[in-house]
Amino acid sequence: MDINKLYNEWLRNAVGDPDLIKELEEIRGNEDEINDRFYKCLEFGTAGLRGVIGAGTNRMNIYTVGQATQGLADFLNSRFENPSVAIGYDSRIKSEYFARESAKILAANGVKAYLFDELEPTPCLSFAVRKYGTSGGIILTASHNPGKYNGYKCYDSNGYQMTDEESAQTYDFIQKVDCFTGIKTMDFDEALSQGLIEYIGKETIEAFLDEVQKQCQNPDAAKTAGLKVIYTPLNGTGNKPVRKILDRIGIKDVFVVPCQELPDGNFPTCPYPNPEIKQAFECALEMTKDIKADILLATDPDCDRVGIAVPDKSGEYVLMSGNEVGAMLLNYLLSQKKEKGALPKNAIAVKSFVSTDLAENIAKKYGCSFKNLLTGFKYIGELITQLEAPGRENDFIMGFEESYGYLAGSHARDKDAVVASMLICEMASYYKINGKSLIEVMDDIYREFGYYKNIVKSYQFDGATGMEKMTLIMDRLRNAPPKELCGLKTVFFDDYKTGISENTLTGEKKAIDLPSSNVLSFKLEDGSGLIVRPSGTEPKIKAYVTAIGNDMQEAQELADRLLQKADGYMEV
């Protein structure tokens, strides 16, 4: 590939967006900057596209988005007689612009586009796909990445992200499209008048909120507890729907962080708008000097993840992990449904297999069956769809991932921070009436089921040799799995790539009933363990440590030792 030739081609042809021409002119003669923008194309995978906004084949811009949309239109036209697509977008830079341009391209290709009339959470897009019966969906978002990023995710007709097979087929079509000459488009207003583009209005959001509200277990508790909430949408899409749903169930004392209330893709007060990290709560924590809130709530920009902080006995606010919130929510939903006689006979809960095993033990207490699935909420969405076919969708209690994604109900097929925010606040209200904080509730769960310490650590492998190192590490662990970790015997070695689970004590082998994935799991004799998997979108390997102890100090000490073992495995 002649990168300079490609650069000059863009300089001549990228006239549709003045920002791109300005950027290309500014880097003229700068080989490093030119190379970074053109040395590769953004990859289209199961997460669609994601990258830095800017000019070039390795950037998110109207041409890379247009190429993807034209390829998607070609794919849909090859599979459906009258295809249609629902399109949503978040608060990120150029999200609305990319969404409108995508709608124009689809319309020009005879694919009807249903476009939200303003920014909305990702789960609303999933809901709209099913409500309108579209052939697929597009959401313009980069989730909780820094502000310089944007992304383009594709959904199938079931309302969850495309499967590997569908995304590969779509990518085949995308690769055939010339980003300057191969994209069909049409005037937006003309497409509207012809009915090829139709706005998704407020009635769809109200219908979404109606479904969310059906998951409420104790509306009286929410109305009477007097819960005080400080909420930050982190300049994203959660502001309206989260506040509406809390108001609907009777939680009125909701104080929104002013500097993070309105949409702003620059995220000026929180460069990393990720509710998993403390920085996301700094502005909310500042407000606690004047408002003694029972709970701090933060949703990420596309409002599919939610994090919380709650005061301990000393009044200090403590962040609770995704695993802890997932375990508490499952315990709350199961206990309340059982108490009310509303727990389905064939109830089922589900999580990603890297999330805490504590949830599985909680489910057993209530006779609820449990399923562990690969990382990626589409697998949870797929399970709900399978339950729906025989009319069992109400058997689904909830699903979650340790990365702060939760879903209760079958209204969406992706993680939903709107329903999760409602249930977390309702749960906090219920326990407040009963004289307990969420920290005390979590301590009760630990005392009953054991103290679990879960830690996730990422190891970065940059540069041309990064992928080689990652492959070497995975191959080494796969071919010579550790027989013990920190003095505890390895009981099960699961290789999700080969699809084989081995009992290392007996030598017995069983098939893993999940799609192939490059993941290794080592389960120890006390239930603790280590899972290692390369990221599907970034040059990094993630290690997931689970440590179980008789108290939290013991669990923490074991977790630290297991993490040291993981550190050693990452050395090349």
Side-chain angles (χ1 to χ4, degrees), residues 468-498:
E468 293 178 14
K469 290 179 180 177
M470 289 166 63
T471 300
L472 179 63
I473 289 165
M474 295 301 292
D475 286 347
R476 191 169 58 193
L477 279 171
R478 178 170 283 113
N479 296 328
K483 295 181 179 179
E484 62 87 26
L485 291 171
C486 303
L488 295 167
K489 291 179 181 177
T490 302
V491 178
F492 290 101
F493 167 50
D494 295 345
D495 186 341
Y496 289 83
K497 188 174 184 180
T498 62

PDB file of all heavy atoms in Angstrom, residues 468-498:
ATOM      1  N   GLU A 468       1.902 -10.649  18.165  1.00  0.00           N
ATOM      2  CA  GLU A 468       2.762 -11.842  18.278  1.00  0.00           C
ATOM      3  C   GLU A 468       2.956 -12.226  19.740  1.00  0.00           C
ATOM      4  O   GLU A 468       2.904 -13.412  20.093  1.00  0.00           O
ATOM      5  CB  GLU A 468       4.113 -11.575  17.614  1.00  0.00           C
ATOM      6  CG  GLU A 468       4.056 -11.401  16.101  1.00  0.00           C
ATOM      7  CD  GLU A 468       5.413 -11.085  15.502  1.00  0.00           C
ATOM      8  OE1 GLU A 468       6.434 -11.269  16.219  1.00  0.00           O
ATOM      9  OE2 GLU A 468       5.472 -10.650  14.350  1.00  0.00           O
ATOM     10  N   LYS A 469       3.192 -11.229  20.585  1.00  0.00           N
ATOM     11  CA  LYS A 469       3.384 -11.503  22.011  1.00  0.00           C
ATOM     12  C   LYS A 469       2.116 -12.083  22.634  1.00  0.00           C
ATOM     13  O   LYS A 469       2.177 -13.023  23.441  1.00  0.00           O
ATOM     14  CB  LYS A 469       3.779 -10.211  22.735  1.00  0.00           C
ATOM     15  CG  LYS A 469       5.182  -9.711  22.396  1.00  0.00           C
ATOM     16  CD  LYS A 469       5.489  -8.412  23.134  1.00  0.00           C
ATOM     17  CE  LYS A 469       6.887  -7.919  22.800  1.00  0.00           C
ATOM     18  NZ  LYS A 469       7.188  -6.623  23.453  1.00  0.00           N
ATOM     19  N   MET A 470       0.983 -11.518  22.268  1.00  0.00           N
ATOM     20  CA  MET A 470      -0.280 -12.023  22.801  1.00  0.00           C
ATOM     21  C   MET A 470      -0.520 -13.471  22.390  1.00  0.00           C
ATOM     22  O   MET A 470      -0.941 -14.307  23.206  1.00  0.00           O
ATOM     23  CB  MET A 470      -1.436 -11.139  22.317  1.00  0.00           C
ATOM     24  CG  MET A 470      -1.459  -9.754  22.958  1.00  0.00           C
ATOM     25  SD  MET A 470      -2.568  -8.567  22.121  1.00  0.00           S
ATOM     26  CE  MET A 470      -4.150  -9.355  22.357  1.00  0.00           C
ATOM     27  N   THR A 471      -0.228 -13.777  21.139  1.00  0.00           N
ATOM     28  CA  THR A 471      -0.385 -15.153  20.655  1.00  0.00           C
ATOM     29  C   THR A 471       0.551 -16.094  21.404  1.00  0.00           C
ATOM     30  O   THR A 471       0.156 -17.205  21.794  1.00  0.00           O
ATOM     31  CB  THR A 471      -0.089 -15.220  19.141  1.00  0.00           C
ATOM     32  OG1 THR A 471      -1.014 -14.373  18.460  1.00  0.00           O
ATOM     33  CG2 THR A 471      -0.230 -16.647  18.626  1.00  0.00           C
ATOM     34  N   LEU A 472       1.791 -15.648  21.621  1.00  0.00           N
ATOM     35  CA  LEU A 472       2.778 -16.458  22.335  1.00  0.00           C
ATOM     36  C   LEU A 472       2.323 -16.762  23.761  1.00  0.00           C
ATOM     37  O   LEU A 472       2.418 -17.903  24.233  1.00  0.00           O
ATOM     38  CB  LEU A 472       4.133 -15.737  22.355  1.00  0.00           C
ATOM     39  CG  LEU A 472       5.280 -16.442  23.086  1.00  0.00           C
ATOM     40  CD1 LEU A 472       5.613 -17.771  22.411  1.00  0.00           C
ATOM     41  CD2 LEU A 472       6.524 -15.553  23.127  1.00  0.00           C
ATOM     42  N   ILE A 473       1.796 -15.745  24.442  1.00  0.00           N
ATOM     43  CA  ILE A 473       1.333 -15.922  25.823  1.00  0.00           C
ATOM     44  C   ILE A 473       0.183 -16.923  25.895  1.00  0.00           C
ATOM     45  O   ILE A 473       0.169 -17.830  26.730  1.00  0.00           O
ATOM     46  CB  ILE A 473       0.916 -14.560  26.423  1.00  0.00           C
ATOM     47  CG1 ILE A 473       2.150 -13.692  26.664  1.00  0.00           C
ATOM     48  CG2 ILE A 473       0.134 -14.750  27.720  1.00  0.00           C
ATOM     49  CD1 ILE A 473       1.832 -12.235  26.916  1.00  0.00           C
ATOM     50  N   MET A 474      -0.779 -16.772  25.001  1.00  0.00           N
ATOM     51  CA  MET A 474      -1.934 -17.670  25.007  1.00  0.00           C
ATOM     52  C   MET A 474      -1.525 -19.097  24.649  1.00  0.00           C
ATOM     53  O   MET A 474      -1.994 -20.061  25.277  1.00  0.00           O
ATOM     54  CB  MET A 474      -3.006 -17.161  24.052  1.00  0.00           C
ATOM     55  CG  MET A 474      -3.635 -15.832  24.449  1.00  0.00           C
ATOM     56  SD  MET A 474      -4.430 -15.831  26.086  1.00  0.00           S
ATOM     57  CE  MET A 474      -5.821 -16.926  25.794  1.00  0.00           C
ATOM     58  N   ASP A 475      -0.651 -19.234  23.685  1.00  0.00           N
ATOM     59  CA  ASP A 475      -0.190 -20.577  23.296  1.00  0.00           C
ATOM     60  C   ASP A 475       0.568 -21.253  24.434  1.00  0.00           C
ATOM     61  O   ASP A 475       0.405 -22.458  24.680  1.00  0.00           O
ATOM     62  CB  ASP A 475       0.705 -20.491  22.056  1.00  0.00           C
ATOM     63  CG  ASP A 475      -0.080 -20.207  20.787  1.00  0.00           C
ATOM     64  OD1 ASP A 475      -1.315 -20.327  20.823  1.00  0.00           O
ATOM     65  OD2 ASP A 475       0.543 -19.871  19.761  1.00  0.00           O
ATOM     66  N   ARG A 476       1.387 -20.485  25.128  1.00  0.00           N
ATOM     67  CA  ARG A 476       2.178 -21.039  26.227  1.00  0.00           C
ATOM     68  C   ARG A 476       1.275 -21.540  27.354  1.00  0.00           C
ATOM     69  O   ARG A 476       1.464 -22.631  27.891  1.00  0.00           O
ATOM     70  CB  ARG A 476       3.136 -19.955  26.738  1.00  0.00           C
ATOM     71  CG  ARG A 476       4.211 -20.452  27.699  1.00  0.00           C
ATOM     72  CD  ARG A 476       5.253 -19.372  27.924  1.00  0.00           C
ATOM     73  NE  ARG A 476       4.658 -18.140  28.447  1.00  0.00           N
ATOM     74  CZ  ARG A 476       5.295 -16.976  28.501  1.00  0.00           C
ATOM     75  NH1 ARG A 476       6.531 -16.877  28.044  1.00  0.00           N
ATOM     76  NH2 ARG A 476       4.712 -15.913  29.008  1.00  0.00           N
ATOM     77  N   LEU A 477       0.249 -20.745  27.705  1.00  0.00           N
ATOM     78  CA  LEU A 477      -0.679 -21.160  28.756  1.00  0.00           C
ATOM     79  C   LEU A 477      -1.543 -22.334  28.311  1.00  0.00           C
ATOM     80  O   LEU A 477      -1.870 -23.217  29.101  1.00  0.00           O
ATOM     81  CB  LEU A 477      -1.576 -19.979  29.150  1.00  0.00           C
ATOM     82  CG  LEU A 477      -0.981 -18.955  30.116  1.00  0.00           C
ATOM     83  CD1 LEU A 477      -1.892 -17.744  30.223  1.00  0.00           C
ATOM     84  CD2 LEU A 477      -0.761 -19.571  31.497  1.00  0.00           C
ATOM     85  N   ARG A 478      -1.889 -22.342  27.026  1.00  0.00           N
ATOM     86  CA  ARG A 478      -2.740 -23.413  26.495  1.00  0.00           C
ATOM     87  C   ARG A 478      -1.985 -24.749  26.473  1.00  0.00           C
ATOM     88  O   ARG A 478      -2.557 -25.798  26.789  1.00  0.00           O
ATOM     89  CB  ARG A 478      -3.208 -23.021  25.090  1.00  0.00           C
ATOM     90  CG  ARG A 478      -4.063 -24.079  24.400  1.00  0.00           C
ATOM     91  CD  ARG A 478      -4.689 -23.532  23.126  1.00  0.00           C
ATOM     92  NE  ARG A 478      -5.832 -22.668  23.400  1.00  0.00           N
ATOM     93  CZ  ARG A 478      -5.870 -21.359  23.168  1.00  0.00           C
ATOM     94  NH1 ARG A 478      -4.814 -20.756  22.636  1.00  0.00           N
ATOM     95  NH2 ARG A 478      -6.945 -20.661  23.455  1.00  0.00           N
ATOM     96  N   ASN A 479      -0.726 -24.708  26.095  1.00  0.00           N
ATOM     97  CA  ASN A 479       0.051 -25.937  25.937  1.00  0.00           C
ATOM     98  C   ASN A 479       0.645 -26.449  27.250  1.00  0.00           C
ATOM     99  O   ASN A 479       0.952 -27.635  27.367  1.00  0.00           O
ATOM    100  CB  ASN A 479       1.173 -25.709  24.917  1.00  0.00           C
ATOM    101  CG  ASN A 479       0.626 -25.402  23.524  1.00  0.00           C
ATOM    102  OD1 ASN A 479      -0.432 -25.897  23.148  1.00  0.00           O
ATOM    103  ND2 ASN A 479       1.332 -24.579  22.767  1.00  0.00           N
ATOM    104  N   ALA A 480       0.813 -25.554  28.222  1.00  0.00           N
ATOM    105  CA  ALA A 480       1.359 -25.967  29.515  1.00  0.00           C
ATOM    106  C   ALA A 480       0.574 -25.301  30.644  1.00  0.00           C
ATOM    107  O   ALA A 480       1.072 -24.427  31.346  1.00  0.00           O
ATOM    108  CB  ALA A 480       2.846 -25.600  29.602  1.00  0.00           C
ATOM    109  N   PRO A 481      -0.682 -25.687  30.820  1.00  0.00           N
ATOM    110  CA  PRO A 481      -1.518 -25.054  31.848  1.00  0.00           C
ATOM    111  C   PRO A 481      -0.976 -25.327  33.247  1.00  0.00           C
ATOM    112  O   PRO A 481      -0.487 -26.429  33.530  1.00  0.00           O
ATOM    113  CB  PRO A 481      -2.879 -25.716  31.646  1.00  0.00           C
ATOM    114  CG  PRO A 481      -2.593 -27.013  30.956  1.00  0.00           C
ATOM    115  CD  PRO A 481      -1.398 -26.757  30.102  1.00  0.00           C
ATOM    116  N   PRO A 482      -1.037 -24.330  34.141  1.00  0.00           N
ATOM    117  CA  PRO A 482      -0.530 -24.526  35.504  1.00  0.00           C
ATOM    118  C   PRO A 482      -1.339 -25.570  36.267  1.00  0.00           C
ATOM    119  O   PRO A 482      -2.579 -25.556  36.217  1.00  0.00           O
ATOM    120  CB  PRO A 482      -0.671 -23.142  36.132  1.00  0.00           C
ATOM    121  CG  PRO A 482      -1.717 -22.455  35.324  1.00  0.00           C
ATOM    122  CD  PRO A 482      -1.571 -22.974  33.938  1.00  0.00           C
ATOM    123  N   LYS A 483      -0.636 -26.457  36.962  1.00  0.00           N
ATOM    124  CA  LYS A 483      -1.309 -27.494  37.750  1.00  0.00           C
ATOM    125  C   LYS A 483      -1.767 -26.989  39.109  1.00  0.00           C
ATOM    126  O   LYS A 483      -2.592 -27.618  39.763  1.00  0.00           O
ATOM    127  CB  LYS A 483      -0.385 -28.700  37.913  1.00  0.00           C
ATOM    128  CG  LYS A 483      -0.084 -29.395  36.579  1.00  0.00           C
ATOM    129  CD  LYS A 483       0.819 -30.595  36.782  1.00  0.00           C
ATOM    130  CE  LYS A 483       1.093 -31.292  35.441  1.00  0.00           C
ATOM    131  NZ  LYS A 483       1.996 -32.464  35.600  1.00  0.00           N
ATOM    132  N   GLU A 484      -1.194 -25.846  39.518  1.00  0.00           N
ATOM    133  CA  GLU A 484      -1.627 -25.227  40.761  1.00  0.00           C
ATOM    134  C   GLU A 484      -1.330 -23.731  40.696  1.00  0.00           C
ATOM    135  O   GLU A 484      -0.478 -23.279  39.942  1.00  0.00           O
ATOM    136  CB  GLU A 484      -0.922 -25.858  41.967  1.00  0.00           C
ATOM    137  CG  GLU A 484       0.587 -25.717  41.995  1.00  0.00           C
ATOM    138  CD  GLU A 484       1.068 -24.433  42.642  1.00  0.00           C
ATOM    139  OE1 GLU A 484       0.352 -23.869  43.492  1.00  0.00           O
ATOM    140  OE2 GLU A 484       2.169 -23.978  42.269  1.00  0.00           O
ATOM    141  N   LEU A 485      -2.080 -22.979  41.484  1.00  0.00           N
ATOM    142  CA  LEU A 485      -1.888 -21.534  41.590  1.00  0.00           C
ATOM    143  C   LEU A 485      -1.954 -21.157  43.060  1.00  0.00           C
ATOM    144  O   LEU A 485      -2.938 -21.478  43.743  1.00  0.00           O
ATOM    145  CB  LEU A 485      -2.959 -20.771  40.808  1.00  0.00           C
ATOM    146  CG  LEU A 485      -2.922 -20.850  39.267  1.00  0.00           C
ATOM    147  CD1 LEU A 485      -4.176 -20.237  38.675  1.00  0.00           C
ATOM    148  CD2 LEU A 485      -1.684 -20.140  38.733  1.00  0.00           C
ATOM    149  N   CYS A 486      -0.896 -20.536  43.558  1.00  0.00           N
ATOM    150  CA  CYS A 486      -0.859 -20.067  44.944  1.00  0.00           C
ATOM    151  C   CYS A 486      -1.144 -21.185  45.946  1.00  0.00           C
ATOM    152  O   CYS A 486      -1.845 -20.997  46.948  1.00  0.00           O
ATOM    153  CB  CYS A 486      -1.839 -18.915  45.153  1.00  0.00           C
ATOM    154  SG  CYS A 486      -1.543 -17.522  44.050  1.00  0.00           S
ATOM    155  N   GLY A 487      -0.628 -22.386  45.655  1.00  0.00           N
ATOM    156  CA  GLY A 487      -0.794 -23.511  46.557  1.00  0.00           C
ATOM    157  C   GLY A 487      -2.125 -24.212  46.449  1.00  0.00           C
ATOM    158  O   GLY A 487      -2.397 -25.157  47.205  1.00  0.00           O
ATOM    159  N   LEU A 488      -2.970 -23.803  45.520  1.00  0.00           N
ATOM    160  CA  LEU A 488      -4.273 -24.437  45.313  1.00  0.00           C
ATOM    161  C   LEU A 488      -4.264 -25.196  43.993  1.00  0.00           C
ATOM    162  O   LEU A 488      -3.844 -24.663  42.960  1.00  0.00           O
ATOM    163  CB  LEU A 488      -5.384 -23.382  45.292  1.00  0.00           C
ATOM    164  CG  LEU A 488      -5.607 -22.616  46.601  1.00  0.00           C
ATOM    165  CD1 LEU A 488      -6.490 -21.397  46.368  1.00  0.00           C
ATOM    166  CD2 LEU A 488      -6.241 -23.532  47.653  1.00  0.00           C
ATOM    167  N   LYS A 489      -4.719 -26.443  44.027  1.00  0.00           N
ATOM    168  CA  LYS A 489      -4.699 -27.276  42.828  1.00  0.00           C
ATOM    169  C   LYS A 489      -5.684 -26.748  41.781  1.00  0.00           C
ATOM    170  O   LYS A 489      -6.788 -26.305  42.104  1.00  0.00           O
ATOM    171  CB  LYS A 489      -5.071 -28.721  43.171  1.00  0.00           C
ATOM    172  CG  LYS A 489      -4.025 -29.454  43.988  1.00  0.00           C
ATOM    173  CD  LYS A 489      -4.496 -30.884  44.289  1.00  0.00           C
ATOM    174  CE  LYS A 489      -3.476 -31.636  45.135  1.00  0.00           C
ATOM    175  NZ  LYS A 489      -3.962 -32.998  45.482  1.00  0.00           N
ATOM    176  N   THR A 490      -5.261 -26.850  40.517  1.00  0.00           N
ATOM    177  CA  THR A 490      -6.176 -26.560  39.416  1.00  0.00           C
ATOM    178  C   THR A 490      -7.076 -27.783  39.225  1.00  0.00           C
ATOM    179  O   THR A 490      -6.592 -28.877  38.970  1.00  0.00           O
ATOM    180  CB  THR A 490      -5.413 -26.276  38.109  1.00  0.00           C
ATOM    181  OG1 THR A 490      -4.531 -25.171  38.312  1.00  0.00           O
ATOM    182  CG2 THR A 490      -6.370 -25.950  36.982  1.00  0.00           C
ATOM    183  N   VAL A 491      -8.377 -27.590  39.354  1.00  0.00           N
ATOM    184  CA  VAL A 491      -9.328 -28.694  39.247  1.00  0.00           C
ATOM    185  C   VAL A 491      -9.894 -28.787  37.833  1.00  0.00           C
ATOM    186  O   VAL A 491     -10.060 -29.876  37.287  1.00  0.00           O
ATOM    187  CB  VAL A 491     -10.470 -28.527  40.272  1.00  0.00           C
ATOM    188  CG1 VAL A 491     -11.485 -29.663  40.135  1.00  0.00           C
ATOM    189  CG2 VAL A 491      -9.905 -28.502  41.687  1.00  0.00           C
ATOM    190  N   PHE A 492     -10.183 -27.617  37.230  1.00  0.00           N
ATOM    191  CA  PHE A 492     -10.714 -27.595  35.864  1.00  0.00           C
ATOM    192  C   PHE A 492      -9.896 -26.647  35.001  1.00  0.00           C
ATOM    193  O   PHE A 492      -9.607 -25.516  35.402  1.00  0.00           O
ATOM    194  CB  PHE A 492     -12.184 -27.161  35.847  1.00  0.00           C
ATOM    195  CG  PHE A 492     -13.125 -28.168  36.430  1.00  0.00           C
ATOM    196  CD1 PHE A 492     -13.606 -28.015  37.721  1.00  0.00           C
ATOM    197  CD2 PHE A 492     -13.522 -29.278  35.690  1.00  0.00           C
ATOM    198  CE1 PHE A 492     -14.471 -28.954  38.271  1.00  0.00           C
ATOM    199  CE2 PHE A 492     -14.386 -30.219  36.237  1.00  0.00           C
ATOM    200  CZ  PHE A 492     -14.858 -30.055  37.529  1.00  0.00           C
ATOM    201  N   PHE A 493      -9.519 -27.139  33.820  1.00  0.00           N
ATOM    202  CA  PHE A 493      -8.870 -26.309  32.814  1.00  0.00           C
ATOM    203  C   PHE A 493      -9.797 -26.270  31.605  1.00  0.00           C
ATOM    204  O   PHE A 493     -10.013 -27.282  30.938  1.00  0.00           O
ATOM    205  CB  PHE A 493      -7.501 -26.891  32.435  1.00  0.00           C
ATOM    206  CG  PHE A 493      -6.914 -26.270  31.198  1.00  0.00           C
ATOM    207  CD1 PHE A 493      -6.832 -24.890  31.052  1.00  0.00           C
ATOM    208  CD2 PHE A 493      -6.440 -27.066  30.164  1.00  0.00           C
ATOM    209  CE1 PHE A 493      -6.295 -24.319  29.908  1.00  0.00           C
ATOM    210  CE2 PHE A 493      -5.892 -26.513  29.013  1.00  0.00           C
ATOM    211  CZ  PHE A 493      -5.827 -25.129  28.889  1.00  0.00           C
ATOM    212  N   ASP A 494     -10.376 -25.088  31.347  1.00  0.00           N
ATOM    213  CA  ASP A 494     -11.329 -24.926  30.243  1.00  0.00           C
ATOM    214  C   ASP A 494     -10.678 -24.121  29.121  1.00  0.00           C
ATOM    215  O   ASP A 494     -10.221 -22.987  29.347  1.00  0.00           O
ATOM    216  CB  ASP A 494     -12.586 -24.208  30.714  1.00  0.00           C
ATOM    217  CG  ASP A 494     -13.372 -25.015  31.733  1.00  0.00           C
ATOM    218  OD1 ASP A 494     -13.097 -26.219  31.859  1.00  0.00           O
ATOM    219  OD2 ASP A 494     -14.252 -24.443  32.398  1.00  0.00           O
ATOM    220  N   ASP A 495     -10.650 -24.702  27.952  1.00  0.00           N
ATOM    221  CA  ASP A 495     -10.129 -24.026  26.762  1.00  0.00           C
ATOM    222  C   ASP A 495     -11.312 -23.755  25.838  1.00  0.00           C
ATOM    223  O   ASP A 495     -11.832 -24.658  25.190  1.00  0.00           O
ATOM    224  CB  ASP A 495      -9.085 -24.910  26.069  1.00  0.00           C
ATOM    225  CG  ASP A 495      -8.407 -24.196  24.906  1.00  0.00           C
ATOM    226  OD1 ASP A 495      -8.958 -23.208  24.406  1.00  0.00           O
ATOM    227  OD2 ASP A 495      -7.314 -24.650  24.490  1.00  0.00           O
ATOM    228  N   TYR A 496     -11.751 -22.520  25.816  1.00  0.00           N
ATOM    229  CA  TYR A 496     -12.942 -22.169  25.040  1.00  0.00           C
ATOM    230  C   TYR A 496     -12.664 -22.095  23.544  1.00  0.00           C
ATOM    231  O   TYR A 496     -13.602 -22.026  22.751  1.00  0.00           O
ATOM    232  CB  TYR A 496     -13.507 -20.839  25.545  1.00  0.00           C
ATOM    233  CG  TYR A 496     -14.149 -20.958  26.912  1.00  0.00           C
ATOM    234  CD1 TYR A 496     -13.384 -20.915  28.075  1.00  0.00           C
ATOM    235  CD2 TYR A 496     -15.514 -21.140  27.042  1.00  0.00           C
ATOM    236  CE1 TYR A 496     -13.961 -21.039  29.323  1.00  0.00           C
ATOM    237  CE2 TYR A 496     -16.114 -21.266  28.289  1.00  0.00           C
ATOM    238  CZ  TYR A 496     -15.322 -21.217  29.429  1.00  0.00           C
ATOM    239  OH  TYR A 496     -15.902 -21.355  30.669  1.00  0.00           O
ATOM    240  N   LYS A 497     -11.398 -22.140  23.174  1.00  0.00           N
ATOM    241  CA  LYS A 497     -11.056 -22.158  21.745  1.00  0.00           C
ATOM    242  C   LYS A 497     -11.240 -23.562  21.175  1.00  0.00           C
ATOM    243  O   LYS A 497     -11.817 -23.746  20.097  1.00  0.00           O
ATOM    244  CB  LYS A 497      -9.623 -21.686  21.525  1.00  0.00           C
ATOM    245  CG  LYS A 497      -9.248 -21.497  20.065  1.00  0.00           C
ATOM    246  CD  LYS A 497      -7.864 -20.890  19.934  1.00  0.00           C
ATOM    247  CE  LYS A 497      -7.514 -20.609  18.472  1.00  0.00           C
ATOM    248  NZ  LYS A 497      -6.155 -20.005  18.340  1.00  0.00           N
ATOM    249  N   THR A 498     -10.765 -24.555  21.905  1.00  0.00           N
ATOM    250  CA  THR A 498     -10.948 -25.943  21.469  1.00  0.00           C
ATOM    251  C   THR A 498     -12.307 -26.488  21.887  1.00  0.00           C
ATOM    252  O   THR A 498     -12.764 -27.513  21.378  1.00  0.00           O
ATOM    253  CB  THR A 498      -9.859 -26.848  22.069  1.00  0.00           C
ATOM    254  OG1 THR A 498      -9.961 -26.830  23.509  1.00  0.00           O
ATOM    255  CG2 THR A 498      -8.471 -26.377  21.653  1.00  0.00           C
TER     256      THR A 498
END
